[in-house]
Amino acid sequence: MRLSRYFLPILRETPKEAEIVSHRLMLRAGLIRQEAAGIYALLPLGLRVLNNICRIVREEQDRSGALELLMPTIQPADLWRESGRYEDYGKEMLRIKDRHERDMLYGPTNEEMITEIFRAYVRSYKDLPLNLYHLQWKFRDEVRPRFGTMRSREFLMKDAYSFDLDQAGAQHSYNKMFVAYLRTFARMGLKSIPMVADTGPIGGNLSHEFTILASTGESEVYCHKDYFDFPVPEPDTNFDDAPALQKLVDRWTSLYAATSEKHDEAAFDRVPPDRRVSARGIEVGHIFYFGTKYSAPMKALVAGPDGVERPAHMGSYGIGPTRLMAAIIEAFHDDAGIKWPDAVAPFKVAILNLKQGDAGTDGACEQLYRELTTKGVDVLYHDLDDRPGAKFATADLIGIPWQVLVGPKGLASGQVEIKSRSDGSREMVSPQAAIARLVG
């Protein structure tokens, strides 16, 4: 993509309403634009990042055996009355009426609707286990939306819902999501710690919150330092091997890790002083097992091997991709701007023409651009007639992992400069060596 043909509205000044780093940088780098309190438009650069996040989420959900569907954003209130949550949920739920005066709502979550879909089709244990997920926009009318997409009113959510015959099966489904989440966040460059957490309005009696440490985190979290050295489960993990999967989860829950709501000071004091970590944290995922909380009142029944019908055991598993965009920036930035990990970056490479209009640099940049794009590399070519300093600032701000600097001086010796945004390292190489490096 040539910058001259792209829509990238960079802000030179820091917006006054932005309180945290990710919110400031997302506005300045042209990722988002606020349209109302807690409601944002995703601009082209931001949408590319979001799509990369969603791709990773989908790949790991699919790997675990979950199946994708898509439910509507508008739900009939009667479903929520069946579960007993319509009056209890509070003002966060946007309640509306259609033209026939029927009570509807803009879904803040989907437990009721997925349970209704399940009960319409599944009758026997032979159809279990089943895990259905979707990526869908949701709305929760927060009293005080803040921090950009970190805590917004409208947001994109991946939520999965598992159905099993009994608690043992539900535990295995829970473990699948537990491991899938570890892999998902690791692929985005994040070190997430699964912490015992409160279940909140969704309910249930087993819950883990996947948290990354960041100074701007919403709450205090507590964990054992050794978690940061635990290896992430491999891509070839067998999700059907229940004992092996349980062993993995047991390992990842063997040490102390809790959110502030579940913090046990006495238990934390038993952790060796040099292994205690007390810090701010950002929730990037949350998983719940809640048994028959929804299936019982909504009569989502399945017959077991004995022919007896019983409510299905359910779990719920959420990841917020729009929230993750902000969390990744909180984890990866410096004073100059964003430092996207390769897996989620909007482009892999930025080509900076340091003397636009010069035949030599123009020709070298065009050749680099054609060869890299032909080989499947996502490239943003900064072909505007800006000063080099302005091009450096833009490239650093938007956080593309690799920069190729093409100037007359380097070309005179047959070289271009490659800069890594993550660590600032630089190297002079030939154009062909640069292509080989960036394609690999």
Side-chain angles (χ1 to χ4, degrees):
M1 178 61 65
R2 300 172 189 274
L3 189 55
S4 59
R5 300 177 186 172
Y6 201 58
F7 180 60
L8 185 63
I10 297 291
L11 300 182
R12 299 303 175 190
E13 301 296 327
T14 299
K16 294 180 180 179
E17 71 272 19
E19 301 177 64
I20 61 173
V21 168
S22 60
H23 192 188
R24 291 197 294 269
L25 290 177
M26 290 176 83
L27 289 169
R28 285 197 58 218
L31 297 170
I32 60 173
R33 176 174 174 78
Q34 181 171 319
E35 300 298 336
I39 298 176
Y40 294 88
L42 281 156
L43 304 181
L45 198 72
L47 184 59
R48 291 181 71 96
V49 175
L50 184 65
N51 287 340
N52 286 334
I53 290 172
C54 291
R55 173 182 49 80
I56 293 172
V57 169
R58 281 191 169 98
E59 288 173 358
E60 294 304 326
Q61 291 293 287
D62 295 346
R63 190 194 304 274
S64 75
L67 303 171
E68 186 173 7
L69 78 170
L70 182 60
M71 290 176 274
T73 56
I74 303 299
Q75 304 181 28
D78 286 346
L79 286 178
W80 286 66
R81 291 191 174 107
E82 282 189 59
S83 72
R85 283 208 300 175
Y86 185 68
E87 301 300 337
D88 295 341
Y89 201 88
K91 292 183 178 181
E92 288 77 20
M93 183 193 291
L94 183 62
R95 294 163 170 83
I96 56 180
K97 288 183 182 290
D98 66 14
R99 65 171 62 198
H100 302 291
E101 292 299 309
R102 289 176 296 218
D103 291 328
M104 309 292 283
L105 59 97
Y106 194 120
T109 184
N110 277 79
E111 283 77 15
E112 284 81 1
M113 182 165 283
I114 198 67
T115 303
E116 187 277 331
I117 291 173
F118 174 84
R119 75 183 179 189
Y121 299 108
V122 180
R123 294 284 186 272
S124 169
Y125 74 96
K126 295 179 181 179
D127 297 318
L128 301 178
L130 181 65
N131 191 331
L132 302 171
Y133 80 94
H134 71 164
L135 283 101
Q136 180 210 58
W137 289 94
K138 300 186 186 300
F139 185 89
R140 295 177 189 170
D141 199 2
E142 297 277 355
V143 175
R144 190 186 175 198
R146 55 195 306 222
F147 302 152
T149 64
M150 188 77 75
R151 184 174 291 278
S152 55
R153 292 195 295 166
E154 187 179 49
F155 54 94
L156 186 64
M157 176 67 71
K158 185 288 301 182
D159 37 342
Y161 301 94
S162 62
F163 298 87
D164 289 273
L165 182 65
D166 52 27
Q167 194 276 335
Q171 179 70 62
H172 182 44
S173 293
Y174 187 92
N175 290 348
K176 288 180 180 180
M177 287 292 99
F178 189 104
V179 172
Y181 275 38
L182 291 174
R183 286 193 43 76
T184 297
F185 301 127
R187 286 186 59 189
M188 298 177 193
L190 300 171
K191 187 66 175 182
S192 65
I193 308 300
M195 300 190 173
V196 176
D198 188 48
T199 57
I202 290 178
N205 55 14
L206 176 61
S207 174
H208 284 89
E209 185 177 293
F210 289 76
T211 301
I212 64 167
L213 303 189
S215 59
T216 52
E218 305 128 302
S219 61
E220 195 78 9
V221 295
Y222 308 83
C223 70
H224 197 293
K225 191 175 182 179
D226 288 359
Y227 273 121
F228 297 99
D229 298 321
F230 279 15
V232 175
E234 295 294 331
D236 62 354
T237 297
N238 184 353
F239 284 88
D240 293 324
D241 188 339
L245 215 59
Q246 186 64 59
K247 187 176 180 181
L248 263 175
V249 173
D250 288 344
R251 171 63 170 153
W252 276 88
T253 56
S254 61
L255 302 176
Y256 189 88
T259 60
S260 56
E261 295 88 350
K262 290 290 186 177
H263 181 50
D264 182 338
E265 195 68 44
F268 191 57
D269 286 344
R270 292 194 288 272
V271 176
D274 66 331
R275 310 314 291 166
R276 294 177 198 161
V277 175
S278 173
R280 308 295 295 182
I282 297 173
E283 175 195 339
V284 291
H286 207 158
I287 62 177
F288 307 83
Y289 161 67
F290 43 67
T292 61
K293 177 180 172 66
Y294 299 94
S295 57
M298 296 185 68
K299 296 182 173 55
L301 309 177
V302 288
D306 55 5
V308 176
E309 289 188 332
R310 65 206 72 184
H313 284 246
M314 296 174 60
S316 174
Y317 317 93
I319 291 176
T322 43
R323 178 183 178 84
L324 263 172
M325 292 176 64
I328 292 169
I329 294 173
E330 293 293 334
F332 299 106
H333 70 272
D334 59 17
D335 290 343
I338 304 166
K339 301 164 76 171
W340 291 116
D342 281 33
V344 300
F347 296 93
K348 181 176 180 179
V349 181
I351 297 175
L352 309 186
N353 188 339
L354 303 186
K355 193 171 184 182
Q356 198 73 37
D358 178 84
T361 58
D362 287 357
C365 287
E366 289 290 341
Q367 183 69 22
L368 282 166
Y369 180 65
R370 284 195 300 271
E371 291 199 36
L372 286 170
T373 54
T374 298
K375 294 178 184 296
V377 179
D378 282 330
V379 181
L380 182 65
Y381 173 21
H382 197 322
D383 60 345
L384 299 178
D385 189 19
D386 292 341
R387 292 177 294 103
K391 294 190 175 187
F392 299 151
T394 295
D396 284 348
L397 175 62
I398 63 178
I400 295 173
W402 297 96
Q403 300 172 19
V404 180
L405 284 57
V406 182
K409 186 175 180 181
L411 285 179
S413 58
Q415 292 183 313
V416 296
E417 186 174 17
I418 296 180
K419 174 187 172 183
S420 167
R421 181 70 181 96
S422 64
D423 61 13
S425 60
R426 298 168 179 263
E427 185 179 1
M428 298 297 295
V429 298
S430 70
Q432 286 306 310
I435 291 169
R437 175 81 56 83
L438 296 169
V439 171

